[in-house]
């Protein structure tokens, strides 16, 4: 099993795109190729179409706002300065999984990054833009029912930031927000993270409901890999 954490730090945009394209589990990161036989999964600072925050000019480590800082804080329980952070053991099994650290980073990281994992890249690639819009006509509470503990943490935390109503359709909630009242790129990113989290949960449900055994087997393998941890 291989676990990879990528956060592009070079300025060369072609290098960044190449590295982040490997978030997809197919051979060479190409969605048109079959999924690799090896069990691999990765966690990435942002989607392949965006540059990540990466390097920071900050000298004081307490001011770092990058994905890897948040990810390892969630995984270890301490930030770069050694300060204890809230536990990311969202399923309360006594250990912090990579997926839980990834969830912690989605809420903790104060940047315009859109963190993504291999399974999430795979899920996002399984549906069309039209299908995504259809998913968001469901209420958040409906989508929430099949969420794993770490996904529930992300949804609850991000909704709390904007005082959103879980009973309303996701599309209505996100559409009703006055963009002029969201002053920072970071807050816009939080809303985009919420949008993507809801879609990931709903697509996983669709795949398991449709009963395509090949897709279910791939998904199970990726979820199992991402659910691993330092503590076996």
């Amino acid at each position: 099993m291989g676990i990879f954490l990528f956060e592009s730090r070079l300025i060369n945009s072609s290098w960044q795109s190449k590295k982040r394209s490997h978030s997809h589990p197919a051979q060479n990161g190409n969605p048109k190729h079959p999924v690799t036989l090896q069990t691999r999964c990765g966690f990435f600072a942002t989607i392949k179409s965006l540059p990540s925050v990466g390097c920071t000019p900050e000298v004081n480590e307490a001011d770092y706002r990058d994905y890897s800082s948040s990810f390892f804080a969630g995984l270890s329980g301490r930030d770069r300065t050694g300060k204890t952070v809230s536990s990311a053991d969202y399923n309360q099994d006594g250990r912090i999984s990579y997926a839980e650290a990834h969830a912690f980073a989605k809420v903790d990281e104060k940047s315009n990054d859109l963190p993504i994992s291999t399974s999430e890249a795979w899920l996002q690639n399984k549906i069309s833009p039209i299908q995504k819009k259809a998913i968001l006509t469901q209420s958040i509470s409906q989508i929430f029912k099949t969420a794993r503990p770490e996904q529930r943490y992300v949804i609850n935390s991000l909704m709390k930031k904007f005082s959103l109503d879980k009973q309303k359709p996701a599309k209505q909630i996100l559409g009703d927000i006055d963009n002029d009242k969201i002053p920072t790129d970071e807050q816009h990113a939080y809303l985009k993270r919420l949008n993507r989290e809801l879609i990931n949960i709903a697509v996983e449900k669709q795949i398991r409901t449709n009963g395509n055994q090949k897709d279910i087997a791939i998904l199970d393998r990726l979820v199992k890999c991402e659910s691993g941890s330092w503590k076996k």
Side-chain angles (χ1 to χ4, degrees):
M1 179 178 72
I3 304 290
F4 304 93
L5 177 71
F6 289 104
E7 177 160 17
S8 301
R9 292 184 179 275
L10 298 186
I11 295 175
N12 187 305
S13 60
S14 62
W15 183 90
Q16 291 176 333
S17 297
K18 181 178 179 181
K19 293 298 286 186
R20 282 196 296 274
S21 71
H22 289 181
S23 61
H24 198 279
Q27 294 174 13
N28 299 320
N30 188 336
K32 295 181 180 179
H33 292 173
V35 174
T36 58
L37 295 177
Q38 299 93 335
T39 300
R40 296 174 180 169
C41 57
F43 298 89
F44 303 77
T46 196
I47 58 177
K48 66 180 181 181
S49 59
L50 295 177
S52 67
V53 171
C55 289
T56 173
E58 299 293 345
V59 176
N60 186 346
E61 291 193 9
D63 295 328
Y64 285 9
R65 295 292 183 265
D66 59 303
Y67 172 76
S68 60
S69 295
S70 293
F71 181 93
F72 284 111
L75 195 62
S76 67
R78 294 183 180 277
D79 65 16
R80 281 181 175 270
T81 65
K83 182 180 178 181
T84 300
V85 300
S86 57
S87 174
D89 184 12
Y90 304 120
N91 64 359
Q92 299 183 338
D93 66 350
R95 67 185 181 93
I96 310 298
S97 69
Y98 303 117
E100 288 173 324
H102 181 58
F104 178 92
K106 289 178 182 178
V107 177
D108 180 69
E109 186 196 1
K110 298 177 178 64
S111 79
N112 57 357
D113 283 343
L114 301 178
I116 187 170
S117 70
T118 303
S119 70
E120 292 167 348
W122 184 80
L123 288 168
Q124 292 278 336
N125 194 60
K126 298 296 289 185
I127 59 171
S128 67
I130 293 177
Q131 290 173 310
K132 289 180 181 180
K133 290 182 179 179
I135 284 173
L136 295 177
T137 61
Q138 302 177 59
S139 68
I140 291 181
S141 61
Q142 183 66 31
I143 298 174
F144 191 83
K145 290 179 180 178
T146 58
R148 290 187 292 276
E150 73 274 12
Q151 294 172 320
R152 293 174 187 169
Y153 166 75
V154 173
I155 292 173
N156 284 333
S157 298
L158 296 183
M159 289 192 67
K160 187 176 181 181
K161 288 180 180 293
F162 299 95
S163 301
L164 303 179
D165 184 353
K166 194 181 294 184
Q167 302 305 317
K168 293 182 179 180
K171 184 178 180 180
Q172 178 183 338
I173 291 174
L174 297 174
D176 285 347
I177 295 176
D178 187 350
N179 288 331
D180 292 334
K181 295 183 179 179
I182 304 176
T184 67
D185 290 340
E186 289 79 5
Q187 288 179 308
H188 280 284
Y190 281 135
L191 290 172
K192 291 178 182 178
R193 292 175 196 176
L194 174 60
N195 182 304
R196 296 177 67 85
E197 197 75 15
L198 293 169
I199 290 173
N200 291 335
I201 295 166
V203 176
E204 178 170 348
K205 180 185 177 182
Q206 286 183 5
I207 288 172
R208 297 193 184 283
T209 301
N210 291 341
N212 183 314
Q213 295 305 310
K214 182 178 179 180
D215 281 349
I216 292 173
I218 292 171
L219 180 58
D220 284 344
R221 184 156 49 122
L222 294 175
V223 170
K224 181 179 180 181
C225 180
E226 294 176 2
S227 297
S229 69
W230 284 346
K231 295 181 179 180
K232 304 300 182 183

